[in-house]
């Protein structure tokens, strides 16, 4: 298939930049934090920026109850970033690896006891 594209590009006399565009896929733009909606069959988390704050909005799928949190605490390393929000005795933690931007790990703790640990995938539907 790629050979057909190259042959077609050569026959049409496309310029070199256009030919490179056909041959080489453009890399994804790096994100400094996960933005968007991530979900699995039971949970949905939306992460966004609003008024200079990193914003968490989570819910159990099928429920109309929503938890919204601001005031994120940042941690981790450049290759494994950790975002934490606190709500009373509960800690909501997102772990994200920029090298794998379409997944986050959602963890919920009550005091120091882990209640939830789920891998969520970026939603393709908006």
């Amino acid at each position: 298939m790629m050979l057909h594209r190259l042959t077609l590009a050569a026959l049409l006399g496309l310029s070199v930049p256009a030919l490179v565009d056909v041959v080489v896929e453009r890399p994804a733009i790096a994100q400094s934090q996960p933005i968007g909606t991530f979900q699995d069959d039971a949970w949905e988390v939306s992460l966004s920026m609003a008024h200079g704050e990193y914003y968490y909005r989570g819910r159990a799928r099928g429920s109309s109850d929503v938890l919204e949190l601001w005031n994120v605490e940042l941690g981790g390393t450049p290759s494994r970033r950790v975002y934490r929000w606190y709500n009373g005795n509960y800690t909501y933690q997102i772990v994200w690896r920029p090298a794998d931007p379409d997944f986050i790990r959602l963890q919920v703790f009550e005091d120091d006891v882990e209640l939830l640990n789920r891998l969520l995938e970026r939603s393709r539907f908006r």
Side-chain angles (χ1 to χ4, degrees), residues 7-20:
T7 304
L8 180 61
L11 290 175
L12 294 176
L14 296 175
S15 66
V16 173
L19 181 59
V20 170

Side-chain angles (χ1 to χ4, degrees), residues 31-32 75-83 95-101 103:
Q31 290 180 286
S32 59
T77 66
S79 63
R80 185 179 175 274
R81 299 180 182 162
V82 179
Y83 304 87
V95 178
W96 179 65
R97 295 182 313 137
D100 200 5
F103 294 90

Side-chain angles (χ1 to χ4, degrees), residues 28-96:
I29 297 172
Q31 290 180 286
S32 59
Q33 69 257 351
I35 299 287
T37 300
F38 298 82
Q39 61 188 15
D40 67 4
D41 59 336
W43 298 96
E44 179 179 289
V45 170
S46 294
L47 303 168
S48 62
M49 291 294 294
H51 309 291
E53 291 282 337
Y54 193 48
Y55 173 75
Y56 171 102
R57 183 177 191 269
R59 73 177 181 92
R61 295 190 70 190
S63 170
S64 60
D65 294 335
V66 173
L67 176 65
E68 298 177 340
L69 301 168
W70 285 267
N71 299 321
V72 67
E73 177 184 282
L74 302 175
T77 66
S79 63
R80 185 179 175 274
R81 299 180 182 162
V82 179
Y83 304 87
R84 288 184 190 99
W85 294 265
Y86 300 96
N87 185 24
N89 293 340
Y90 294 91
T91 301
Y92 296 81
Q93 178 171 289
I94 297 293
V95 178
W96 179 65

